[in-house]
Amino acid sequence: MKLEICSRLPYTIEDIVNGLLLLRHEQAEPRVTYIKRKHASDHIVHEMQYQTHLLLVPFVGQQIVMREDMVVSGNTLVVKTYGENYQTKAYPYMITEARYVQGLQGTDCTLTVEWAISKHKLSKIIEDRLNNFGKKQYADIQQRELAYIQQYVSNKQ
């Protein structure tokens, strides 16, 4: 399964990076613990310990460890999150990639989520429910991210 969501943010790449880092520093994402593993000006790595949501049936009750890479290059930020199952395409797996590209009218964000629960095809109803759940989760996450980006912008002024 693959899902793509696009949005535009009224912030610079620098503000977005620093807002996301503030959110991670304050551990403000529910069910997620961020542990910084590397911090260079162009590459930041976090280990994410994630307590799974009740609706994600194959993962229920599991503590999943994922890697988050934030790569900054000029007017682009790429935030890629994945677990070890993704590397081998072992089921279940998930990867998210948020690509932020700064332009004249703000910064465009394209979120791509790829996931597979099993090698067997899911029914259309289950697939739709999972996609709708993912879209709602992303909307909630983006609201928290925007709040922390705005908090960073307000603090720097």
Side-chain angles (χ1 to χ4, degrees), residues 90-154:
Y91 298 96
Y93 71 82
M94 184 177 86
I95 179 171
T96 64
E97 181 179 293
R99 180 172 298 274
Y100 299 86
V101 180
Q102 188 173 324
L104 298 175
Q105 301 292 325
T107 300
D108 291 322
C109 176
T110 302
L111 172 71
T112 305
V113 179
E114 180 185 333
W115 54 271
I117 291 176
S118 76
K119 57 185 168 185
H120 306 292
K121 191 165 175 118
L122 298 175
S123 74
K124 180 73 171 137
I125 294 170
I126 293 172
E127 187 179 302
D128 287 346
R129 284 184 183 169
L130 286 170
N131 281 336
N132 289 337
F133 171 72
K135 289 175 184 176
K136 183 188 177 315
Q137 287 291 101
Y138 176 67
D140 293 345
I141 290 167
Q142 190 172 57
Q143 289 307 307
R144 280 189 294 279
E145 290 176 346
L146 288 172
Y148 273 84
I149 294 166
Q150 181 57 49
Q151 183 179 336
Y152 167 77
V153 169
S154 296

Side-chain angles (χ1 to χ4, degrees), residues 2-120:
K2 205 169 197 178
L3 178 67
E4 188 173 284
I5 302 171
C6 299
S7 59
R8 178 169 286 161
L9 308 176
Y11 300 104
T12 66
I13 293 294
E14 178 188 355
D15 292 342
I16 292 168
V17 169
N18 286 302
L20 295 178
L21 290 175
L22 179 61
L23 182 139
R24 282 138 181 79
H25 175 74
E26 293 191 2
Q27 302 291 324
E29 194 62 52
R31 298 181 308 277
V32 179
T33 301
Y34 292 95
I35 302 165
K36 193 178 288 185
R37 296 294 186 203
K38 174 183 178 179
H39 191 128
S41 61
D42 62 344
H43 188 200
I44 303 160
V45 177
H46 286 94
E47 174 183 306
M48 294 172 56
Q49 296 176 356
Y50 181 69
Q51 182 65 43
T52 56
H53 194 285
L54 294 176
L55 292 177
L56 299 177
V57 176
F59 305 108
V60 168
Q62 291 186 26
Q63 180 82 10
I64 296 175
V65 177
M66 300 180 82
R67 174 185 169 121
E68 176 187 72
D69 282 284
M70 300 174 87
V71 179
V72 181
S73 177
N75 69 340
T76 303
L77 164 66
V78 177
V79 181
K80 187 174 182 178
T81 304
Y82 55 92
E84 65 181 73
N85 284 359
Y86 173 73
Q87 302 288 7
T88 60
K89 296 288 186 178
Y91 298 96
Y93 71 82
M94 184 177 86
I95 179 171
T96 64
E97 181 179 293
R99 180 172 298 274
Y100 299 86
V101 180
Q102 188 173 324
L104 298 175
Q105 301 292 325
T107 300
D108 291 322
C109 176
T110 302
L111 172 71
T112 305
V113 179
E114 180 185 333
W115 54 271
I117 291 176
S118 76
K119 57 185 168 185
H120 306 292

